[in-house]
Amino acid sequence: MLQIEEAVHCLQQQVQPIRKTQSLPLLSATGRILAQEGRAMMDQPPFPRSPLDGYAVRGQDTAKAKKEAPVCLQVVGKVCAGEVFPGQVKAGEAVRIMTGAPIPQGADTVIRQEDSDSGQEQVMIYKSSKPYENYCYQGEDYKKGTLLLPKGTRLRGNEIALAASLGLDPVMVYQKPQIAVVSTGDELTMPGEDLKPGKIYDSNRYWLSARLSELGIPAVYSGHCNDEPEEMAECIRKRSQQADVIITTGGVSVGEKDIMHEVIQILSARQLFWRVDVKPGAPVLAAVFGGTLLICLSGNPFAAAANFELFVRPVIGCLSRDESWIPKKKQARLENDYRKPAGARRFLRGYTEDEKVWVAAGNHGSGSLSAMLVCNCLIEIPPHQAGAVKGDMVWTYLL
Ligand code: AMP
Ligand code: MG
């Protein structure tokens, strides 16, 4: 049977990283992928500046200054942040200076205000300072010409701040992939509506849509379709005009209402695979229709969720050029037992902290949603292994 890694590779081969770019106000670009270089056009800071409030002086003039024997300097001016002192600081002189102001020509250090009498015309200096002791060098953060934000950088708070410090606004970013979500099932009722006998509320559509938003790429379409092959085929036709990927849930198994196989035929879509060695969600189905990738997940809520993490996220990572979409794996020590007859490669809901991981309590059925509430990882149980016991090292996929 097809392995997860093979299926993911196959899916990734079908997509190209998004090439279309857009210009965005810097403040709207958080979480986006930079499509230009962020290179320093000037030194940062652009001038030597004062790290504190006090007096800009020539260090040598203060060499002998002590509390008991202060040095007296002439205050020849004042400079605040955002201003430039036009003159020179000569021997025996000081300029009143505020944090962030350019250090005047001639001065080479700053005396803390607290180490002076805060004098206006003359100032008593109580403590010496060596040249360049209290001095922020021009370019000490970065130098003109430095490539700080390479193309492809994900813009988080730090990167946005750097871009701002470079004066970059607006910024060119890659467009987001267009992802559509469609749930199928005659039994599904939308939340907010009355629940008739035999029906259940649709949770997959909400889970997938919310998860996409949570990870930074909201679905461009989120809808539901009945178990009517023609209706579903029409829905896919329509959505494929816009979407790079359509994620569907339900109807991929072998039951009478498992319509997705027929839908693929109606569309003459190119099937990539059906069934992967994974539990839950083995009957995952993938196809290409036009330029759109169809990833059809089982309708069982945990199967749909686990398969989204395992199959869909790496594909969106590839499309969006954003590696944070690829689930991180780490090994952890199992803190409780999990017994199950050996079988397919299995994924469990888990909770991990530090190097430890617990199998979530409660119903392990793939239909169970409630056990997902406490879950922050998937735990992998290798195939042909009858569960795992406390103390085993297991792989976890962080959610
Ligand atoms: P299916 O994959 O269509 O055979 O559905 C498998 C199980 O998941 C059935 O019990 C369905 O009722 C249930 N199911 C399917 N789709 C959803 C959904 N969108 N939300 C909640 N449960 C679903
Ligand atoms: Mg169904």
Side-chain angles (χ1 to χ4, degrees), residues 53-55 67 70-71 96 111-119 122-127:
D53 297 318
Y55 294 85
K67 182 79 201 176
V71 166
R96 179 94 175 95
I111 302 293
R112 288 198 320 157
Q113 186 173 306
E114 296 86 330
D115 296 327
S116 77
D117 69 348
S118 304
Q122 291 191 329
V123 62
M124 296 302 225
I125 306 294
Y126 299 142
K127 202 173 163 194

Side-chain angles (χ1 to χ4, degrees), residues 166-357:
L166 298 178
L168 213 59
D169 191 8
V171 278
M172 289 302 284
V173 297
Y174 289 103
Q175 288 189 7
K176 290 186 186 188
Q178 312 273 298
I179 317 285
V181 171
V182 187
S183 61
T184 69
D186 289 342
E187 74 277 36
L188 301 179
T189 302
M190 292 310 119
E193 291 173 9
D194 283 345
L195 201 61
K196 305 251 164 53
K199 308 282 187 186
I200 57 167
Y201 285 118
D202 181 349
S203 62
N204 289 342
R205 182 156 87 82
Y206 289 81
W207 192 92
L208 287 169
S209 305
R211 189 76 175 128
L212 285 164
S213 295
E214 187 184 3
L215 294 170
I217 303 184
V220 290
Y221 174 82
S222 174
H224 164 258
C225 214
N226 287 317
D227 288 329
E228 297 292 340
E230 289 290 351
E231 191 188 320
M232 184 58 174
E234 188 49 35
C235 172
I236 289 178
R237 246 182 235 118
K238 194 159 169 209
R239 297 303 152 199
S240 66
Q241 288 169 14
Q242 181 190 21
D244 299 301
V245 179
I246 303 177
I247 311 167
T248 73
T249 68
V252 288
S253 196
V254 293
E256 211 167 281
K257 290 283 188 173
D258 287 332
I259 60 163
M260 289 311 297
H261 307 285
E262 198 180 331
V263 170
I264 300 290
Q265 282 190 348
I266 294 171
L267 292 168
S268 301
R270 179 164 56 90
Q271 183 166 317
L272 298 171
F273 58 79
W274 177 47
R275 290 197 178 125
V276 176
D277 181 25
V278 59
K279 203 169 164 75
V284 54
L285 169 69
V288 176
F289 176 63
T292 303
L293 186 58
L294 309 178
I295 308 179
C296 310
L297 309 176
S298 158
N300 279 306
F302 177 53
N307 289 4
F308 173 85
E309 300 294 325
L310 296 171
F311 299 100
V312 183
R313 278 182 63 175
V315 176
I316 298 181
C318 206
L319 256 174
S320 62
R321 301 166 181 263
D322 185 349
E323 296 212 335
S324 70
W325 273 84
I326 298 166
K328 304 262 175 314
K329 281 173 76 170
K330 75 161 199 204
Q331 283 211 299
R333 200 178 57 249
L334 199 61
E335 293 295 311
N336 50 2
D337 295 347
Y338 175 79
R339 292 271 173 214
K340 197 86 181 185
R345 192 169 166 191
R346 182 184 289 275
F347 289 84
L348 308 172
R349 305 161 184 85
Y351 177 78
T352 182
E353 222 178 84
D354 306 325
E355 304 304 301
K356 300 174 186 170
V357 64

